[in-house]
Amino acid sequence: MALIDPPVVDRAARRHRWDTKFSPYAYVTPYFLIFGVFGLFPLLYTIWVSLQHRNLLDEGGARLVWFDNYAALLADPYFWNAMGNTLSLWLLTTVPQILFALGIAALLNRKVRTRTLFRMGVILPNITSVAAVTIIFAQLFGRDFGLVNWVLDLFGAGQIDWQAGTATSHIAIAVMVVWRWTGYHALIFLASMQAITPSLYEAATLDGANGWQQFWRITVPLLRPQIIFTTIIATTGNMRLLAEPLLFNPGAAAATGGSDRQFQTAALYLYEQGFTKYDFGYSSAIAVVLAIATIIVAGLGYLVTKRIQTE
Amino acid sequence: MTAVLDPPAPVRPAPAAGRARRLVKRVAGPWTYAALIAVLAGSAFPVYWSFVVSSQTPDAIDSVPPVLVPGGHLFENIARVFDTTDFALALTNSIIVSGTVTVSVVLFSTLAGFAFAKMRFRGRNVLLLLVIATQAIPTELGIIPLYMMMSEFGWAGEIHAVIVPGLVTAFGVFFMRQYFERAIPDELLEAGRMDGCHSLRLFWHVALPAARPAAAVLGLFTFMQAWNDFFWPLVVLVPENPTVQTALSTLASGYTTDYTLVLTAATIGTVPVLAVFLLFGRQIVGGIMSGAVKG
């Protein structure tokens, strides 16, 4: 026995050492392998493609043209139109989302009966599919038989052709986005509101501050980190809206975002160039510019929300 | 939107005096209830209305004043959807895609999350930082090269082109890592090691059972997200081999002007996520409020 024992222990120890040293890498490898190949690589490769003339419909194949795509982009009125629409929709979606979410969170933060029902109710829009819901909303916003126009008609407003105008189409699309995301942000805010110590409000009440003042002077300033975070998250989402403008007016020319491109976003223009005209180089340039624009706008959002302060 | 953060609590929850709670945590009055019910109605209305239209005859959608109560033609309309389009194939594809992606994301996230939270190895912090950083990047912006790759592989138009890029998410890894960090005491794992447990056994017998609640929440989010995914399937699939979402898009794009048909399809496509939501709504709410930020 004594002769056999030591090697066994030795082998077990070696196996243990080998195990602790290498198995962590084995555990994280699937993630990095798949993400590296199908996530990170395409993202970085976009920059390279954006420097090429590469159109599937051209026989010649790809060739390096450096910044030609970018030069063409900056001179392209459709691109600027799409960027303008993107910024307009960003403003029309992000600001109401955050304000409504704060309000709903404040309501949910009261002692409410059947609170699970209300909490589930507010995130119901978030779990529905964007394709299905956009198709539903497109009907609700229909010109002749849409429910929205019918309700407005009760109040004496005329028939609005929501898709036709720039402002009206942006409002309709913003409604869809705000509807989808407000409740979700409200739950994030609610979680933080519940962590605020009640004695702050008690003191404020003794000082004669009413609920409205307490909300703006205590709740909102203390929620600053969440408001900043939500603004950035909402911005990255709202700067690349695609399904809503694509399906708002589905049809053969859907990728143009309306007959006059009145609601074509930058992401939709990327789709149009890439997958209806197969101009991969140009489309990649749009992706790069959109990414940079998103970072700038998110930074802007950060600078604005950072200024929220306690009095 | 793909990102995660633990919402940092601005103020630690302090044990409140009973009196303070009474003063502050106002009991909701009738106006609060009225407002909340209005929000609830607004949230549910579009889905409800879609269901109403699906259960009516085709002329109901054009009627003035609008029809707001369900009728008796639901099954008739469902039958028409399956007759006019290959919606059965779309449903099958969506189930295969969402099912595979969910199992894979949960498994790989749990493995990697466990390693990041409970194992020491060279380069761990750098790699974890990489995971966190990639969460903030909208990977859709790499859609052109991804499409080029799929064409190269001969996968364009096939559902594995949708499945494979979805097999892992940075969100999942970070989410599980956060959970393991808090849920399993190091002593427990040390004890297991002392007993000569191989790390895969530790993972299987200690970590995995402990991870079940978090893995369930991650699975729910992943399933719903995969089911609803639109942009990438739209790009890489063909109308003859769709998921539910791309089939809806094709159906709405002038294939028919019968909007009752389109909305019935939208209703059918919403039912699976709605069922998951009604069954596990409490867990989903809890997941979001505890800092699970999905996108």
Side-chain angles (χ1 to χ4, degrees):
Chain A
M1 285 304 274
L3 276 177
I4 302 167
D5 258 350
V8 171
V9 171
D10 201 38
R11 207 183 311 148
R14 203 158 356 129
R15 200 168 55 200
H16 177 76
R17 216 170 330 126
W18 192 87
D19 176 32
T20 49
K21 201 164 178 187
F22 293 106
S23 53
Y25 295 107
Y27 292 3
V28 299
T29 297
Y31 169 74
F32 283 105
L33 201 66
I34 300 173
F35 180 77
V37 174
F38 296 101
L40 200 58
F41 168 73
L43 203 63
L44 298 176
Y45 200 72
T46 303
I47 299 170
W48 176 238
V49 177
S50 78
L51 302 177
Q52 296 174 339
H53 173 81
R54 191 189 267 268
N55 191 318
L56 278 197
L57 306 179
D58 279 4
E59 293 295 319
R63 62 171 199 277
L64 187 63
V65 294
W66 293 107
F67 293 98
D68 281 10
N69 286 325
Y70 291 93
L73 204 56
L74 296 182
D76 179 354
Y78 289 164
F79 170 71
W80 289 111
N81 168 63
M83 283 309 284
N85 288 339
T86 302
L87 287 174
S88 155
L89 279 167
W90 169 73
L91 200 68
L92 284 173
T93 51
T94 311
V95 176
Q97 249 174 55
I98 289 170
L99 291 179
F100 288 144
L102 281 168
I104 291 171
L107 290 174
L108 288 170
N109 196 30
R110 301 198 169 173
K111 246 196 166 79
V112 185
R113 253 183 265 187
T114 62
R115 54 173 210 186
T116 306
L117 173 76
F118 285 122
R119 288 178 186 183
M120 278 176 66
V122 299
I123 51 152
L124 172 68
N126 194 242
I127 62 115
T128 56
S129 101
V130 67
V133 163
T134 306
I135 290 169
I136 296 169
F137 269 106
Q139 289 303 308
L140 291 173
F141 279 109
R143 186 189 58 191
D144 298 322
F145 304 105
L147 207 69
V148 176
N149 272 350
W150 179 75
V151 172
L152 290 178
D153 204 36
L154 296 181
F155 295 101
Q159 298 278 316
I160 298 172
D161 191 349
W162 290 93
Q163 290 179 355
T166 304
T168 51
S169 61
H170 288 202
I171 290 169
I173 290 172
V175 167
M176 303 178 202
V177 178
V178 171
W179 179 80
R180 161 172 292 275
W181 286 102
T182 299
Y184 174 75
H185 296 313
L187 286 190
I188 305 263
F189 289 147
L190 174 63
S192 311
M193 279 184 192
Q194 291 179 336
I196 298 175
T197 150
S199 57
L200 283 174
Y201 294 105
E202 189 190 24
T205 308
L206 291 177
D207 288 347
N210 63 30
W212 185 252
Q213 290 167 325
Q214 290 181 16
F215 178 73
W216 288 108
R217 301 234 172 119
I218 299 174
T219 313
V220 170
L222 283 175
L223 251 52
R224 192 175 77 151
Q226 281 70 40
I227 295 174
I228 293 174
F229 171 69
T230 302
T231 305
I232 292 171
I233 289 299
T235 298
T236 56
N238 295 341
M239 285 291 285
R240 58 198 157 96
L241 298 175
L242 175 113
E244 290 90 349
L246 181 70
L247 291 174
F248 185 38
N249 178 27
T256 57
S259 47
D260 295 323
R261 298 176 183 267
Q262 66 270 30
F263 52 92
Q264 184 179 50
T265 57
L268 193 55
Y269 193 46
L270 183 163
Y271 174 77
E272 186 193 1
Q273 288 295 339
F275 297 101
T276 68
K277 299 186 172 158
Y278 298 101
D279 194 339
F280 284 178
Y282 200 59
S283 184
S284 296
I286 300 172
V288 173
V289 175
L290 179 58
I292 295 168
T294 306
I295 294 168
I296 293 171
V297 174
L300 208 73
Y302 171 74
L303 289 177
V304 171
T305 47
K306 200 178 66 142
R307 293 170 65 97
I308 299 170
Q309 267 164 14
T310 14
E311 309 252 332
Chain B
M1 244 187 258
T2 327
V4 123
L5 272 187
D6 265 3
V11 181
R12 286 259 135 245
R19 201 174 61 88
R21 257 216 195 288
R22 263 203 311 282
L23 252 176
V24 172
K25 196 115 188 184
R26 280 188 202 78
V27 175
W31 286 111
T32 305
Y33 278 105
L36 281 173
I37 287 167
V39 169
L40 201 64
S43 286
F45 183 75
V47 178
Y48 170 77
W49 181 75
S50 168
F51 172 73
V52 167
V53 173
S54 317
S55 65
Q56 295 281 358
T57 50
D59 53 320
I61 198 168
D62 296 343
S63 68
V64 178
V67 182
L68 290 175
V69 285
H73 301 271
L74 181 63
F75 293 103
E76 202 178 301
N77 287 327
I78 292 175
R80 283 204 303 134
V81 169
F82 283 92
D83 283 347
T84 35
T85 69
D86 202 348
F87 215 67
L89 176 67
L91 279 168
T92 313
N93 279 342
S94 275
I95 290 168
I96 294 171
V97 169
S98 312
T100 316
V101 164
T102 302
V103 170
S104 162
V105 165
V106 170
L107 179 73
F108 289 141
S109 300
T110 311
L111 265 176
F114 176 65
F116 276 125
K118 293 293 162 186
M119 298 173 102
R120 250 158 292 166
F121 54 97
R122 197 189 287 266
R124 182 176 77 164
N125 292 341
V126 176
L127 290 176
L128 183 61
L129 207 65
L130 200 65
V131 173
I132 295 170
T134 51
Q135 282 181 112
I137 302 172
T139 42
E140 283 128 306
L141 292 178
I143 206 155
I144 298 276
L146 192 60
Y147 182 81
M148 285 159 52
M149 281 166 70
M150 293 303 173
S151 306
E152 199 72 24
F153 297 164
W155 290 2
E158 307 290 333
I159 57 167
H160 34 275
V162 179
I163 294 174
V164 175
L167 290 176
V168 296
T169 61
F171 164 69
V173 173
F174 188 68
F175 181 74
M176 291 313 293
R177 186 249 173 207
Q178 295 301 85
Y179 184 78
F180 277 126
E181 190 91 301
R182 286 172 300 202
I184 302 183
D186 287 332
E187 297 77 37
L188 191 64
L189 296 172
E190 279 308 315
R193 280 211 187 286
M194 288 299 167
D195 292 345
C197 253
H198 183 270
S199 65
L200 200 60
R201 277 178 64 109
L202 278 181
F203 174 74
W204 196 255
H205 292 290
V206 181
L208 215 50
R212 274 213 305 252
V217 171
L218 178 62
L220 290 172
F221 281 144
T222 309
F223 178 84
M224 295 193 300
Q225 215 168 332
W227 185 271
N228 292 336
D229 195 14
F230 180 68
F231 192 11
W232 175 237
L234 176 76
V235 164
V236 79
L237 293 180
V238 287
E240 296 75 38
N241 187 30
T243 62
V244 168
Q245 312 308 330
T246 62
L248 281 177
S249 163
T250 311
L251 200 58
S253 305
Y255 182 83
T256 168
T257 47
D258 181 350
Y259 288 109
T260 305
L261 197 70
V262 177
L263 287 177
T264 306
T267 307
I268 302 171
T270 310
V271 165
V273 274
L274 208 59
V276 170
F277 177 70
L278 291 176
L279 284 172
F280 302 104
R282 193 183 291 269
Q283 285 83 347
I284 292 166
V285 168
I288 293 174
M289 288 187 62
S290 68
V293 176
K294 62 143 190 169

